């Protein structure tokens, strides 16, 4: 870790996974860190997510992997059940040693609580409400006007403001968001005792499955191809699960009683131009948002936070460092986004066996050093 950062300052737009990870990575190196987020309430939406091996590896660098494992549900195996009931499994690579799990399911609010607590403990300031309304990236400094009309002058600006990033536009990297004719659902349920890893069930025109996120909770996911219906979430998700048999029948009855069901369109984005401009840079979903089917967006966001700080250690000049970061991350993140789009297409076409193989390939690609 570098030691020359005592007087350096950063403004991070976005207190999501990428922004909070970056806040901790830089604050522990002595940077003065301010995070702003346009959300007015400090709540992460209540569904869960899978943190794969590379996410745990990056969190381990920050001393946070064990906290996430303790708050989540560690696991090693994915079981896929095809339409005809054929079962196949694959073992996930264990990247933080043979005695710790390969990945963890975790409730989003738990992950945010851990990341936020660590950033605050290390001295970062987090302000909810303001966004960036105007930016000037000039002569190695950032001047930002916030939406509350206050001004900031800092050494580095990080746009970690998600797939609909406005910082991306401010630094001249406007990027289209792609829709893929699918919608994903998530429902929180009590964890059935047989759910001790990820289980997926292929169906006609859709796919469902379950991920444990603590000893007491799991979430059911479902992907549908028809995105026109706008019914109430819980009954609609339950309807969509009608064709699934076997253990998925039990999941369906638990979804019917779930108080927390959400749906999201399947969207992706990949900024084509360089992700940095002078001392400003975009990271996480703002730069590269894969589809949820790859379960890799949060992993890339966490890696970004750790590796951005690493590049800032290696280069005295901030503009050079963020450019090096962007160049270093480009191929890996683009590959994940492209693979995620291919997985979504295979699912849409009901080529489930091929999508299982590609998901496995994606996990192995991601296991390579970042
Ligand atoms: C349904 C679904 C399931 C998923 N499951 C998984 C999974 O299992 N595993 C996985 O690895 N990934 C998963 N992902 C992807 C993952 O959620 C994202 O890749 C990850 O959240 C990206 O983190 P981020 O910090 O870049 O962006 P976000 O998490 O979107 O955070 C952005 C933050 O910026 C704030 N913000 C927005 N605009 C502004 C602004 N103008 N100024 C300041 N702040 C702003 C927002 O309020 C938010 O707090 C899933 C995604 C979806 C939609």
């Amino acid at each position: 870790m570098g030691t020359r950062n005592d007087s350096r300052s950063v403004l991070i737009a976005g207190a999501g996974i990428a922004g909070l990870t970056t806040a901790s990575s830089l604050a522990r190196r002595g940077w003065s860190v301010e995070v702003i987020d346009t959300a007015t309430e400090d709540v992460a939406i209540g569904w869960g997510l899978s943190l794969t091996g590379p996410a745990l590896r990056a969190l381990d660098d920050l001393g946070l992997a064990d906290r996430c494992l303790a708050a989540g549900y560690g696991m090693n195996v994915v079981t896929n059940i095809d339409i005809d009931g054929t079962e196949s499994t694959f073992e996930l690579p264990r990247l933080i040693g043979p005695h710790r799990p390969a990945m963890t399911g975790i409730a989003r609010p738990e992950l945010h609580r851990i990341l936020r607590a660590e950033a605050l403990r290390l001295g970062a300031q987090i302000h909810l409400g303001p966004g960036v309304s105007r930016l000037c990236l000039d002569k190695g400094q950032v001047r930002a006007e916030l939406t509350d009309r206050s001004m900031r002058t800092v050494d580095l600006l990080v746009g970690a403001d998600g797939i609909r990033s406005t910082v991306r536009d401010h630094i001249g990297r406007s990027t289209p968001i792609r829709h893929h004719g699918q919608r994903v659902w998530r429902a929180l349920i009590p964890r059935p005792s047989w759910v001790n890893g990820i289980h997926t069930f292929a169906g006609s025109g859709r796919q469902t499955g379950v991920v444990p996120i603590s000893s007491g909770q799991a979430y059911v996911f479902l992907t549908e191809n028809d995105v026109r219906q706008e019914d109430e979430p819980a009954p609609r998700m339950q309807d969509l699960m009608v064709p699934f048999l076997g253990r998925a029948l039990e999941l369906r009855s638990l979804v019917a009683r779930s108080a927390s069901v959400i749906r999201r369109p399947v969207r992706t984005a990949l900024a084509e131009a360089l992700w940095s401009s002078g001392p400003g840079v975009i990271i996480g979903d703002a730069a590269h948002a894969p589809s949820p089917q790859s379960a890799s967006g949060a992993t890339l966001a966490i890696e970004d936070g750790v590796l951005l700080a690493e590049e800032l250690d290696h280069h005295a000049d901030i503009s050079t460092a963020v450019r090096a970061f962007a160049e270093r991350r480009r191929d890996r993140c683009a590959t994940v986004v492209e693979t995620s789009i291919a997985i979504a297409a295979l699912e849409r076409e009901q080529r489930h066996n091929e999508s299982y193989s590609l998901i496995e390939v994606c996990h192995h690609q991601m296991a390579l050093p970042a």
Side-chain angles (χ1 to χ4, degrees), residues 24 79 120 161 219 224 226 258 300 302:
S24 288
T79 304
L120 290 171
D161 51 344
Y219 70 86
E224 69 170 318
D226 181 354
S258 174
L300 293 180
I302 293 167

Side-chain angles (χ1 to χ4, degrees), residues 13-19 36-39 47-52 108 112 130-132 160-167 184 186 219 262 264-265 283-286 288-290 292 295-301:
I17 297 170
I36 55 169
D37 195 297
T38 46
W47 79 87
L49 83 173
S50 315
L51 292 179
T52 55
R108 275 181 189 255
H112 276 255
V132 173
D161 51 344
I163 190 168
R164 292 188 300 170
S165 171
T166 55
V167 171
V184 290
R186 298 288 188 267
Y219 70 86
I262 61 112
R264 293 283 182 279
I283 66 168
D285 273 10
H288 46 72
S296 296
T299 295
L300 293 180

Side-chain angles (χ1 to χ4, degrees), residues 120-144:
L120 290 171
R121 187 185 74 77
L122 292 165
Q125 293 184 39
I126 302 176
H127 297 128
L128 299 183
V132 173
S133 56
R134 212 144 21 123
L135 265 183
C136 176
L137 305 167
D138 199 15
K139 298 187 184 114
Q141 269 211 324
V142 180
R143 283 196 305 284

Side-chain angles (χ1 to χ4, degrees), residues 25 27 65 77 95 135 138 140 144 148 152 184 221 223 250 267 276 290 295 301 309 342 370:
S25 297
V77 177
L95 302 186
L135 265 183
D138 199 15
D148 62 7
R152 300 290 186 277
V184 290
F221 61 87
T223 310
E250 184 188 347
R267 300 180 300 189
S276 67

Side-chain angles (χ1 to χ4, degrees), residues 256-313:
R257 297 198 291 277
S258 174
S260 173
V261 180
I262 61 112
R263 59 186 166 205
R264 293 283 182 279
V266 172
R267 300 180 300 189
T268 59
L270 179 65
E272 291 298 337
L274 188 69
W275 301 338
S276 67
S277 168
V281 64
I282 48 171
I283 66 168
D285 273 10
H288 46 72
S291 75
Q293 287 100 324
S294 67
S296 296
T299 295
L300 293 180
I302 293 167
E303 285 183 350
D304 278 356
V306 170
L307 298 180
L308 176 60
E310 224 175 89
E311 290 301 331
L312 285 157
D313 277 349

